[in-house]
């Protein structure tokens, strides 16, 4: 028996059933599906479509179904083409004629839209919280390793010395923007489509705000056609996830490069590396490599899903069933990458000596020399040319730059001192810069942003307790 056996006589062909069934992946929605039904029962009861006694029966049956699903004793039937069908079928088995009233004024179209929004709300909380855990791990290492310099790079060429704490916090700020973006998207997820029915609402006097209230939705739909066909929030979340994945990918790549013998800037802990089946000496940064790789898949989920949405006529189309797998997989993969990278950073041994050696490259102080001249009235362009000329000579003749600076009649010994450790106090000292002077303020700002992001996530609507 199918949900529509009144209209269609023949059952589905076997391969058709296998092709169209979403149960293999939408079981993931069981908890939110039961919640949506509990809310719907409240709506039906509120307008007298079911009596108080019937509502109690339905709630009891839903609760029984939930515990079967929870403890794994729920018996799925071959005709359960999706989780909504399975839950309703079982409620009807348990509650008889009353169970058959559950789907009054509701369609799987508004039901699945409701379920997925509820699921997405929880996912935002999980992903946002996990990103903040990684941010905190980065900040903790930054604090611990305060005072360590390394070369900052542009074009992957040594550019200026920066503090390692500055470098690690650069990643943290990007991840905080990801959290911010997710929280922004949460507002648009938090709209209840329940009550839109198949596409046009119902002739029964249902009030969508009742069910929305039970589910703690911030608002209800304004247009039923839009409510059942809108998957913008899935696209938005896939974008937020893809971009966070891109950030993790860049971090992963950095760990891969830094852990090479050539760099020696980090040694990953054994627990986050693998050995080689053939080469006894190998220690491979697989976690970082996979974090780098997953971005490809996450971008694919976004691009693929937008392609599925494009050109769909209003309102619900079965195509929309394809929203779940990319979203579920994207969330799962991102959470995996975040956890692995967090472990990598928390346990890594940073090669602070290799970093310090590389940062001691005196050419990295070239701009400080030019700025020293600027502070004494020379136009920057002239100062740049003058120092550039000395660098060229130093490289050509294989002489230390410092020596040439000392001999230069505009620069001299005082400027030359900038190229040694004594110069560190001046480096990157402007607000937000990579040196020591602004680092304390940055740490305070970062922690303030973490705290407010945490409270923003804590304040997001969650699935309330149902029973
Ligand atoms: N499994 C379906 C989905 O994920 C549920 C909605 C089915 N609606 C329908 N009119 N066939 O989209």
């Amino acid at each position: 028996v199918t949900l529509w056996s009144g209209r269609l006589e023949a059952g589905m062909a076997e391969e058709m059933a296998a092709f169209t069934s979403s149960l293999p992946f939408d079981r993931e929605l069981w908890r939110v599906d039961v919640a949506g039904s509990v809310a719907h029962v409240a709506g039906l009861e509120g307008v007298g479509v079911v009596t108080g006694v019937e509502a109690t029966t339905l709630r009891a049956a839903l609760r029984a179904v939930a515990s079967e699903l929870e403890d794994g004793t729920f018996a799925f039937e071959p005709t359960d083409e999706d989780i909504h069908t399975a839950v309703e079928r079982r409620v009807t088995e348990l509650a008889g004629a009353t169970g058959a009233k559950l789907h009054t004024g509701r369609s799987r179209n508004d039901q699945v839209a409701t379920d997925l929004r509820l699921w997405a709300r929880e996912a935002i909380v999980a992903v946002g919280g996990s990103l903040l855990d990684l941010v905190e791990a980065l900040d903790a290492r930054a604090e611990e390793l305060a005072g360590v310099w390394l070369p900052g790079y542009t074009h992957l060429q040594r550019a200026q010395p920066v503090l390692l704490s500055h470098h690690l916090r650069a990643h943290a700020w990007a991840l905080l923007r990801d959290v911010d973006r997710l929280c922004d998207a949460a507002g648009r997820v938090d709209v209840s489509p329940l009550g839109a029915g198949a596409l046009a609402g119902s002739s029964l006097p249902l009030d969508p705000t009742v069910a929305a209230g039970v589910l703690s939705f911030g608002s209800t739909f304004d247009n039923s056609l839009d409510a059942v066909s809108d998957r913008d929030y899935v696209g938005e979340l896939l974008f937020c996830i893809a971009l966070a994945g891109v950030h993790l990918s860049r971090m992963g790549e950095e760990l891969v490069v830094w852990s090479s013998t050539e760099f020696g800037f980090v040694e990953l802990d054994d627990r986050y590396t693998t050995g080689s089946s053939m080469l006894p000496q190998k220690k491979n940064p697989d976690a970082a490599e996979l974090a780098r790789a997953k971005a490809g898949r996450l971008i694919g989920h976004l691009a693929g899903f937008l392609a599925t949405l494009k050109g769909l006529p209003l309102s619900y189309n079965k195509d929309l069933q394809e929203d779940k797998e990319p979203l579920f997989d994207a969330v799962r993969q991102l959470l995996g990458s975040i956890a692995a990278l967090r472990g990598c950073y928390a346990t890594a041994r940073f090669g602070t000596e290799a970093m310090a050696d590389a940062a001691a490259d005196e050419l990295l102080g070239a701009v400080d020399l030019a700025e020293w001249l600027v502070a004494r009235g020379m136009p920057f362009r002239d100062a740049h040319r003058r120092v550039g000329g000395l660098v060229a000579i130093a490289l050509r003749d294989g002489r230390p730059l410092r020596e040439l600076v000392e001999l230069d009649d505009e620069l001299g010994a005082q400027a030359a001192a900038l190229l040694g450790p004594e110069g560190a106090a001046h480096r990157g000292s402007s607000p937000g810069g990579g040196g020591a002077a602004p680092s304390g303020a940055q740490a305070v700002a970062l922690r303030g942003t973490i705290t407010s992001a945490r409270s923003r996530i804590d304040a997001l609507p969650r699935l309330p307790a149902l029973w």
Side-chain angles (χ1 to χ4, degrees):
V1 189
T2 57
L3 295 174
W4 50 82
S5 49
R7 166 71 177 80
L8 303 183
E9 280 174 17
M12 256 192 247
E14 207 178 306
E15 67 277 24
M16 164 69 179
F19 182 57
T20 57
S21 171
S22 52
L23 190 61
F25 50 87
D26 69 13
R27 287 166 197 236
E28 171 84 24
L29 294 174
W30 74 260
R31 206 181 291 275
V32 287
D33 192 73
V34 169
S37 286
V38 169
H40 186 58
V41 168
L44 295 174
E45 184 184 6
V47 292
V49 173
V50 301
T51 65
V53 173
E54 288 171 328
T56 304
T57 305
L58 286 169
R59 272 190 289 270
L62 282 163
R63 188 171 185 165
V65 169
S67 60
E68 289 178 6
L69 284 158
E70 179 92 75
D71 61 27
T73 55
F74 187 97
F76 287 97
E77 299 282 341
T79 48
D80 294 340
E81 71 160 47
D82 55 29
I83 189 65
H84 328 292
T85 311
V87 170
E88 188 191 338
R89 192 248 321 143
R90 184 71 184 130
V91 166
T92 308
E93 283 169 12
L94 294 172
T98 305
K101 294 191 172 188
L102 175 62
H103 210 53
T104 313
R106 183 176 72 171
S107 158
R108 283 182 298 156
N109 300 351
D110 58 345
Q111 186 178 3
V112 72
T114 305
D115 288 7
L116 199 59
R117 283 175 183 270
L118 292 172
W119 191 93
R121 285 197 322 195
E122 301 296 312
I124 288 174
V125 171
V127 172
S130 165
L131 282 167
L132 289 180
D133 292 343
L134 174 54
V135 167
E136 280 177 342
L138 289 165
D139 182 55
R141 296 313 303 268
E143 198 56 29
E144 175 198 331
L145 297 158
V148 175
W149 293 89
L150 78 163
Y153 295 81
T154 65
H155 313 266
L156 201 56
Q157 306 290 318
R158 287 181 188 171
Q160 280 181 276
V162 294
L163 286 170
L164 175 58
S165 61
H166 192 63
H167 190 106
L168 293 173
R169 287 186 177 121
H171 292 308
W173 287 110
L175 300 175
L176 283 169
R177 288 194 296 278
D178 292 324
V179 176
D180 191 47
R181 212 172 277 115
L182 282 165
C183 290
D184 286 346
R188 284 177 292 277
V189 175
D190 193 29
V191 181
S192 177
L194 196 54
L199 75 165
S202 163
S203 61
L204 298 166
L206 296 171
D207 175 2
T209 63
V210 175
V214 173
L215 298 170
S216 299
F217 271 116
S219 60
T220 56
F221 66 97
D222 291 300
N223 181 307
S224 59
L225 292 171
D226 183 41
V228 295
S229 61
D230 173 21
R231 294 294 184 280
D232 292 0
Y233 64 96
V234 176
E236 250 185 292
L237 290 186
L238 288 174
F239 171 72
C240 294
I241 290 169
L243 188 53
V246 165
H247 292 147
L248 300 179
S249 173
R250 296 176 67 171
M251 294 163 69
E253 161 66 1
E254 183 173 278
L255 290 175
V256 171
V257 172
W258 279 15
S259 63
S260 67
T261 309
E262 285 69 13
F263 262 82
F265 282 7
V266 75
E267 184 183 354
L268 295 175
D269 189 84
D270 288 1
R271 286 168 291 166
Y272 295 93
T273 55
T274 60
S276 160
S277 58
M278 178 171 169
L279 310 174
Q281 86 283 11
K282 290 300 293 293
K283 181 170 183 180
N284 296 326
D286 293 30
E289 293 172 280
L290 280 174
R292 180 175 65 185
K294 298 287 185 189
R297 177 161 164 174
L298 300 177
I299 293 165
H301 285 326
L302 170 64
F305 180 63
L306 290 178
T308 299
L309 270 192
K310 126 178 212 310
L312 284 187
L314 287 174
S315 56
Y316 178 83
N317 298 275
K318 187 75 165 187
D319 310 51
L320 294 177
Q321 177 166 292
E322 291 284 310
D323 55 3
K324 291 165 210 57
E325 283 168 291
L327 184 61
F328 295 168
D329 184 64
V331 168
R332 192 164 35 239
Q333 298 304 326
L334 188 72
L335 288 172
S337 294
I338 297 170
L341 280 189
R342 190 175 84 158
C344 287
Y345 281 102
T347 59
R349 275 176 302 281
F350 286 92
T352 54
E353 281 184 17
M355 288 179 177
D357 285 351
D361 177 347
E362 56 175 8
L363 295 184
L364 303 192
V367 74
D368 297 331
L369 297 174
E371 287 173 353
W372 188 88
L373 291 171
V374 165
R376 278 145 192 84
M378 188 180 289
F380 179 72
R381 214 23 77 209
D382 300 337
H384 184 285
R385 199 173 311 112
R386 190 170 190 101
V387 176
L390 297 180
V391 169
I393 297 170
L395 291 174
R396 188 195 60 201
D397 299 348
R399 290 173 63 188
L401 178 65
R402 188 168 182 150
E403 208 175 283
L404 298 170
V405 172
E406 272 165 13
L407 296 173
D408 186 90
D409 44 0
E410 293 280 353
L411 288 153
Q414 204 194 339
L418 292 176
L419 297 178
E422 319 89 273
H426 304 277
R427 287 180 206 147
S429 53
S430 57
S439 68
Q442 178 179 178
V444 171
L446 186 80
R447 284 176 211 147
T449 307
I450 295 172
T451 306
S452 53
R454 281 261 185 232
S455 22
R456 207 168 159 205
I457 288 177
D458 289 346
L460 290 177
R462 303 289 305 271
L463 194 62
L466 299 173
W467 336 100

